[in-house]
Amino acid sequence: SAVISQKPSRDICQRGTSLTIQCQVDSQVTMMFWYRQQPGQSLTLIATANQGSEATYESGFVIDKFPISRPNLTFSTLTVSNMSPEDSSIYLCSVALENEQFFGPGTRLTVL
Amino acid sequence: GEDVEQSLFLSVREGDSSVINCTYTDSSSTYLYWYKQEPGAGLQLLTYIFSNMDMKQDQRLTVLLNKKDKHLSLRIADTQTGDSAIYFCAERFGGYQKVTFGIGTKLQVIP
């Protein structure tokens, strides 16, 4: 299995500011994924991050709003830029190891 | 297209069996997963089934897959109050590894 940690676990931010979320995995993985879970909703994939290349964004998500870094095989960051209250969500990092898909504990973001 | 559907709510009595159902639309799914999310907590992978399997059993959990009908179910035997949570069905496509989630079924266990 994979152990995934995220920082911060939660934050309250003012609109117009940016927050960078860190994801650390205890093993090397090719792909890391960033998901969003809005209140009372299911999970939606934001983007897929490969080490050494630009992230691939899903429909409705853009790099300017959610820039992602993937400097090595165990770490990634997601930045939520120019935040608005609509960005209040849980943001989850995920990795696939063989048949299984694991998720981090999530970062609970509240934008005022 | 990718679409995973689940009923929103299920209520069972403690000790009974729970059956949570899920339908998906993409027959090219390779893996199908069940996740548990307790209030304020992250996603816990409960079990998964490969698309060429019909059934998988793991202690109190039984997963049944009807590939013809694109129907997946999770049966929890002897349901306990600690099983109260939201259960997400999810599918993954081989190669790309994108996982698509259902809306989640809230399981309420009545003591």
Side-chain angles (χ1 to χ4, degrees), chain A residues 5-21:
Chain A
S5 60
Q6 288 185 231
K7 289 182 184 178
S9 58
R10 59 177 63 228
D11 208 342
I12 300 173
C13 301
Q14 297 296 322
R15 70 169 66 212
T17 62
S18 298
L19 176 73
T20 295
I21 302 167

Side-chain angles (χ1 to χ4, degrees), chain B residues 6-80:
Chain B
Q6 300 178 240
S7 53
L8 291 179
F9 189 76
L10 176 66
S11 180
V12 299
R13 293 207 172 273
E14 190 174 16
D16 288 350
S17 292
S18 307
V19 180
I20 303 171
N21 294 302
C22 169
T23 58
Y24 60 99
T25 56
D26 197 318
S27 58
S28 61
S29 298
T30 307
Y31 301 99
L32 295 132
Y33 301 93
W34 284 104
Y35 288 89
K36 177 183 180 183
Q37 187 177 41
E38 296 180 81
L43 282 173
Q44 176 192 355
L45 177 62
L46 286 178
T47 186
Y48 68 94
I49 190 167
F50 191 53
S51 60
N52 67 354
M53 298 168 66
D54 297 324
M55 186 182 91
K56 182 177 181 181
Q57 187 154 3
D58 184 1
Q59 299 182 329
R60 291 192 298 124
L61 304 179
T62 303
V63 179
L64 294 177
L65 174 61
N66 181 330
K67 199 168 181 182
K68 175 176 169 288
D69 295 337
K70 299 189 184 69
H71 182 265
L72 182 74
S73 68
L74 174 69
R75 179 177 179 269
I76 305 173
D78 186 25
T79 311
Q80 304 297 307

Side-chain angles (χ1 to χ4, degrees), chain A residues 34-36 44-48 56-58 61 66 78 91:
Chain A
W34 286 99
Y35 284 81
R36 179 174 76 180
T44 302
L45 180 64
I46 297 171
T48 304
T56 302
Y57 289 83
E58 295 297 303
F61 298 96
F66 297 101
L78 170 76
Y91 292 85

Side-chain angles (χ1 to χ4, degrees), chain A residues 35 37 42 58 98-99 101, chain B residues 31 33 35 92 98 102:
Chain A
Y35 284 81
Q37 186 179 25
S42 187
E58 295 297 303
E98 296 182 358
N99 302 336
Q101 191 89 17
Chain B
Y31 301 99
Y33 301 93
Y35 288 89
R92 190 176 105 185
K98 173 182 175 178

Side-chain angles (χ1 to χ4, degrees), chain A residues 5-6 16 27 35 37-38 58 64 82 89-90 92-93 102 106:
Chain A
S5 60
Q6 288 185 231
S27 52
Y35 284 81
Q37 186 179 25
Q38 293 179 299
E58 295 297 303
D64 289 346
N82 188 25
S89 288
I90 300 172
L92 300 104
C93 172
F102 298 99

